[in-house]
Amino acid sequence: MSNNDIEHKIIQAEESIFDFVERFWMLTNHSDTEKEIVVIPDGRIDIFFSYSDTEPFHIALRGLESEPTQTMLPGKTIIFAVNLKLLAIEYLQELLVLIDLSLLLLCLLAL
């Protein structure tokens, strides 16, 4: 989908990462004004990388919604997302637990 203000692209993941990643997508608001959008849940978790002229670069996990939600997309905003499969979420959870344990161990060693 593409028009003068909003651009939306979807790219399917390559076979080498398809066990973990369903697709990549991008949403861009090219206009100077914010636009109302509707987010429809798809049962997957997304890692969002977003940037705009008015807000700093940030990363967020999204996708726990169970109903469509309306939100505003600020002007001059780019959102790039990685649409993860459940296997990737399980792997990330295990990785985060290991990182937490490592940080705890480092803090204990510093005492």
Side-chain angles (χ1 to χ4, degrees), residues 29-96:
N29 181 356
H30 293 286
S31 75
D32 292 326
T33 59
E34 65 183 9
K35 301 290 182 180
E36 185 174 10
I37 60 172
V38 176
V39 177
I40 300 173
D42 65 359
R44 289 183 172 70
I45 302 295
D46 293 304
I47 301 176
F48 280 43
F49 303 88
S50 63
Y51 172 80
S52 76
D53 287 349
T54 58
E55 299 192 20
F57 174 80
H58 69 278
I59 301 170
L61 279 176
R62 302 276 190 215
L64 301 176
E65 299 85 2
S66 59
E67 298 179 1
T69 54
Q70 290 184 326
T71 189
M72 300 304 284
L73 182 63
K76 301 294 184 190
T77 297
I78 299 172
I79 298 173
F80 177 79
V82 180
N83 188 243
L84 301 173
K85 291 186 174 185
L86 290 178
L87 185 58
I89 301 305
E90 291 176 20
Y91 178 76
L92 285 175
Q93 286 176 332
E94 291 175 17
L95 185 61
L96 291 173

